[in-house]
Amino acid sequence: EVRLVESGGDLVQPGGSLRLSCAASGFTFSNAGMTWVRQAPGKGFEWVSSISTKDDVTWYADSVRGRFTISRDNAKNTVYLQLNRLHTEDTAMYYCVKDIIFTSGPYPYRGQGTPVTVSS
């Protein structure tokens, strides 16, 4: 059974930073590209970033490029999302998704999410 468990979300002031983690199990993590998506209150899903399996090729939405960094540790079956220079518009539930999916869904395998609130 595929399981994705996100953590690291919090309340942070504008300009602050957070590091999100997603612990994966139930599949061969090193063989899977991974994706982060988010859903702001009252809105649909938004693709944020993806990372390839071994070569660590990364992709970012224009809205986060230069501020967010995706990475992975295949030894720990974990994918990360470093969020820097946060804006109030980054407030959302952040989800980890198995596979590289550049769209707003559907997501066959998605975690339960971790909340990020950017507010002063």
Side-chain angles (χ1 to χ4, degrees):
E1 177 189 1
V2 172
R3 189 161 186 245
L4 302 167
V5 180
E6 301 93 335
S7 61
D10 205 346
L11 170 63
V12 63
Q13 292 187 341
S17 297
L18 284 174
R19 189 194 197 201
L20 308 183
S21 299
C22 170
S25 60
F27 61 100
T28 304
F29 181 76
S30 59
N31 289 347
M34 298 296 294
T35 294
W36 284 95
V37 301
R38 66 186 180 185
Q39 186 174 30
K43 296 189 177 181
F45 286 103
E46 177 189 13
W47 170 73
V48 174
S49 181
S50 296
I51 188 167
S52 64
T53 54
K54 294 178 287 187
D55 293 332
D56 283 354
V57 178
T58 57
W59 300 267
Y60 296 96
D62 289 343
S63 59
V64 307
R65 186 176 294 112
R67 300 188 298 121
F68 292 7
T69 303
I70 191 171
S71 61
R72 64 189 296 157
D73 186 336
N74 288 342
K76 295 182 178 180
N77 286 2
T78 300
V79 60
Y80 304 97
L81 188 67
Q82 178 69 40
L83 288 61
N84 295 331
R85 298 182 358 239
L86 281 160
H87 304 159
T88 55
E89 311 88 83
D90 296 317
T91 294
M93 187 72 80
Y94 284 71
Y95 297 92
C96 173
V97 168
K98 178 181 176 290
D99 296 321
I100 295 173
I101 301 176
F102 294 121
T103 66
S104 58
Y107 307 118
Y109 301 105
R110 173 171 58 88
Q112 84 291 344
T114 188
V116 172
T117 302
V118 185
S119 175
S120 55

